[in-house]
Amino acid sequence: ASRPCESDCPMAARKYPSRWVFLGLVFSHQFFIAGVIFGWTPLQTVLEEMGVFSSLCDHGDKTCDASSTRLSLVFTIAAALLTASGVVLGPAMDRWGPRVVRLISAAVFIVGTLLLGFAGPESLLWFPGYSCIAFGGGGLQLSAFHISMLFPGHESVVVSLMTGVFSASAYIFLFFKLLYENEGWSLESMFLYYSIAGVACFASSWCWPDTSFSSPDDLKPNRPKGSRGSRWSAAWSAANSRPGSHSGSRRASARHSTRESSDANAPGGLHGAAPINSSGTFPAPPHPQDTEEMLHEHLLRTSSLENVDVETLDFDRGDALLCTDLSGLSVWRQLASFEAWGLILYFSLQLNISNFFLTSIADQLKSHHDDHGTYIGLFGIIYPLGFIATPLAGFLQDRYHLVVVFCYVNVINLASQLLLLVPSLEVQILTFILYAAGRQCIFSLFFASLGRMFGFDTFGVLSGVGNAFSAALTFAVTPLYHYCQQNLDHHYTGVNIVLASIIGAQFLYAI
């Protein structure tokens, strides 16, 4: 159902900044706030030097297996809440719009920084404080993706840049570490000052729209909101009709016409008003059998598979129709599709294998005799640089079938996982580079593909379901880490082989 005033109130009373202002705000919010929890490695070093949870250790040691496990639990819960934030904020964005979600997220982030500012070495405030930062960051990321629709023909590149800057925010805690070690700043005071960034984000989020953007036309002050019947504008079609574009005018026009026809023929028309055809009469609703035939024809027209006879495809199973536009279906049919659950499962497994790497890498490097922490310091520097690789993933998504992009991401993540088996610290530098590039592409691939296949009208719900599934798997990370420490005596070879096998098996889905 449309929100009040969605279909009949002009936007003249609300003037928006240019799309470049929105993009600049997104990048600044993503870098300074949204993904900071993934700068855990340098922050954990500071927490261990402070002796956080050292009461769990014997003989007055500042760190031990017990304290490391509790610290890893702080990160695991926060990472789970970041992904699970979509469960709450996704439907909220579909119902009340991205501005409300953004304001809530910024407020929760502010609360988190204040809690951490008053957390002592043995305080349990580390858990809710870090979790609030994560929850707020997840909401800021979720409410930003629709800005990509303001850049027709480059949506995937923009989403990839957003996820890249999101990951680059890990540098914030590296900066905290440098201030702590070189300038003597206390971590508590840094978090209190850090709350100012949340206040700035909250203030600037008031300019956000109350409905997700669907095209650059939405920035026009006199455009009625009811004209958003199709999420693809003529500008999108024109931008994608250039030679060499695999997501060009054929897909754009098919999306546009199918969405318009399905909306117009639905009972109540585009926005609840009875549709009128060219003869001035009210057409009858389509017969259910006709609807199925329309869907079959729609899949044939919107499939971007090249050199494949689409007539031979099994539509009941959705054979490899990874680029099919399913935005015209109801949210329940979208959730029941092969494409949705294949994408969710791919994202959840890849992300949690990546989270285990992030949780355990310091301990794994110690087993490779990084006794002075030199290489864990290098990892803290290299990891945020993974954003450099994300534009390539976006470029591939905008121009090639998703099979190509899935394989590209899978190869990188599989290589980084296998290199962990090499007992050489020098080789681990290459592992860091591949891991940084592959992790950023996981987020980029998931969110860009979600918007590309299902649209932004149901983006909140679908991303919420995906994030909830991923968050449930995240709680297996800490027990697995604890098992490697206690039962395997800090040896990770067997576990890394199993995780590499899971990544390798995901080529079956990609292909």
Side-chain angles (χ1 to χ4, degrees):
S2 298
R3 292 192 291 274
C5 199
E6 184 177 1
S7 61
D8 56 358
C9 290
M11 296 174 64
R14 184 164 182 79
K15 299 181 68 174
Y16 291 113
S18 75
R19 61 181 183 171
W20 297 105
V21 171
F22 277 115
L23 191 63
L25 286 174
V26 166
F27 286 166
S28 62
H29 296 168
Q30 297 282 84
F31 180 77
F32 288 106
I33 293 177
V36 292
I37 71 157
F38 294 112
W40 174 252
T41 302
L43 181 62
Q44 183 181 8
T45 302
V46 174
L47 296 176
E48 290 177 346
E49 291 179 6
M50 290 173 55
V52 174
F53 302 136
S54 60
S55 62
L56 300 174
C57 303
D58 298 326
H59 312 298
D61 295 334
K62 283 188 174 182
T63 182
C64 59
D65 288 349
S67 64
S68 295
T69 300
R70 180 167 291 186
L71 284 173
S72 72
L73 188 60
V74 172
F75 171 75
T76 299
I77 293 175
L81 281 177
L82 185 143
T83 53
S85 62
V87 178
V88 176
L89 299 179
M93 189 173 77
D94 291 342
R95 177 65 181 88
W96 293 295
R99 187 196 314 133
V100 172
V101 168
R102 210 160 185 83
L103 292 171
I104 292 173
S105 301
V108 172
F109 176 85
I110 295 170
V111 171
T113 56
L114 294 176
L115 289 175
L116 294 178
F118 292 100
E122 300 301 328
S123 174
L124 294 179
L125 289 178
W126 294 106
F127 287 94
Y130 210 63
S131 295
C132 284
I133 286 180
F135 187 91
L140 291 175
Q141 184 188 44
L142 179 68
S143 59
F145 288 125
H146 69 102
I147 301 299
S148 65
M149 302 304 292
L150 299 179
F151 298 85
H154 304 285
E155 295 92 345
S156 296
V157 171
V158 174
V159 170
S160 297
L161 289 173
M162 288 180 186
T163 59
V165 176
F166 173 88
S167 300
S169 63
Y171 274 129
I172 298 298
F173 287 155
L174 179 61
F175 183 61
F176 278 27
K177 180 176 181 289
L178 294 176
L179 289 177
Y180 176 82
E181 294 178 342
N182 299 327
E183 302 298 330
W185 285 37
S186 70
L187 195 60
E188 292 85 354
S189 62
M190 283 188 278
F191 274 115
L192 291 176
Y193 284 124
Y194 192 31
S195 64
I196 298 175
V199 173
C201 177
F202 184 88
S204 58
S205 293
W206 282 100
C207 72
W208 233 249
D210 57 359
T211 304
S212 297
F213 289 130
S214 59
S215 79
D217 292 340
D218 293 336
L219 293 174
K220 295 179 180 179
N222 294 319
R223 186 169 189 251
K225 291 184 182 180
S227 60
R228 293 189 187 188
S230 171
R231 66 187 180 95
W232 304 104
S233 66
W236 195 98
S237 302
N240 283 276
S241 63
R242 61 188 182 281
S245 173
H246 287 251
S247 57
S249 58
R250 179 172 60 86
R251 290 191 69 224
S253 60
R255 280 176 163 173
H256 184 86
S257 61
T258 304
R259 185 65 178 273
E260 289 285 0
S261 62
S262 62
D263 285 341
N265 285 293
L270 286 174
H271 300 286
I276 302 177
N277 60 24
S278 58
S279 63
T281 61
F282 297 91
H287 189 275
Q289 183 178 354
D290 296 335
T291 303
E292 293 298 324
E293 292 175 358
M294 289 169 56
L295 175 61
H296 185 277
E297 180 185 2
H298 168 60
L299 292 174
L300 286 173
R301 286 186 296 153
T302 59
S303 171
S304 62
L305 293 173
E306 302 295 338
N307 302 319
V308 174
D309 183 6
V310 291
E311 292 289 349
T312 65
L313 295 175
D314 182 352
F315 286 92
D316 291 334
R317 293 192 300 107
D319 282 353
L321 292 176
L322 299 179
C323 282
T324 300
D325 173 32
L326 301 178
S327 61
L329 301 181
S330 68
V331 65
W332 299 113
R333 294 193 67 178
Q334 288 178 344
L335 283 171
S337 67
F338 166 83
E339 288 83 356
W341 280 104
L343 187 61
I344 288 171
L345 185 61
Y346 183 92
F347 168 71
S348 300
L349 290 174
Q350 289 277 4
L351 180 59
N352 283 289
I353 291 173
S354 178
N355 283 342
F356 179 77
F357 181 105
L358 199 61
T359 301
S360 65
I361 187 60
D363 198 42
Q364 294 200 52
L365 290 175
K366 288 179 182 177
S367 67
H368 290 322
H369 307 292
D370 182 27
D371 299 324
H372 301 290
T374 303
Y375 284 85
I376 193 61
L378 282 175
F379 174 73
I381 296 173
I382 293 173
Y383 166 66
L385 291 175
F387 74 91
I388 296 174
T390 55
L392 176 58
F395 175 85
L396 293 175
Q397 282 183 273
D398 280 333
R399 285 160 177 79
Y400 297 97
H401 189 270
L402 284 180
V403 168
V404 175
V405 192
F406 275 111
C407 290
Y408 165 74
V409 175
N410 235 37
V411 167
I412 294 176
N413 288 330
L414 180 59
S416 66
Q417 194 67 38
L418 290 174
L419 285 174
L420 279 174
L421 302 174
V422 180
S424 168
L425 286 173
E426 290 75 14
V427 171
Q428 298 314 309
I429 296 177
L430 179 58
T431 304
F432 300 159
I433 295 172
L434 292 175
Y435 171 80
R439 181 180 173 85
Q440 320 320 335
C441 292
I442 294 171
F443 290 98
S444 169
L445 178 60
F446 177 66
F447 289 112
S449 299
L450 207 61
R452 183 178 177 182
M453 286 193 285
F454 302 101
F456 283 91
D457 292 340
T458 57
F459 184 85
V461 172
L462 292 174
S463 62
V465 172
N467 285 330
F469 190 81
S470 176
L473 293 182
T474 299
F475 286 105
V477 171
T478 295
L480 183 59
Y481 176 58
H482 181 73
Y483 177 80
C484 291
Q485 286 187 316
Q486 299 297 321
N487 297 76
L488 300 181
D489 194 25
H490 302 269
H491 291 103
Y492 293 83
T493 301
V495 172
N496 286 332
I497 291 175
V498 172
L499 296 180
S501 300
I502 294 174
I503 296 175
Q506 290 190 297
F507 277 108
L508 297 176
Y509 168 72
I511 296 173

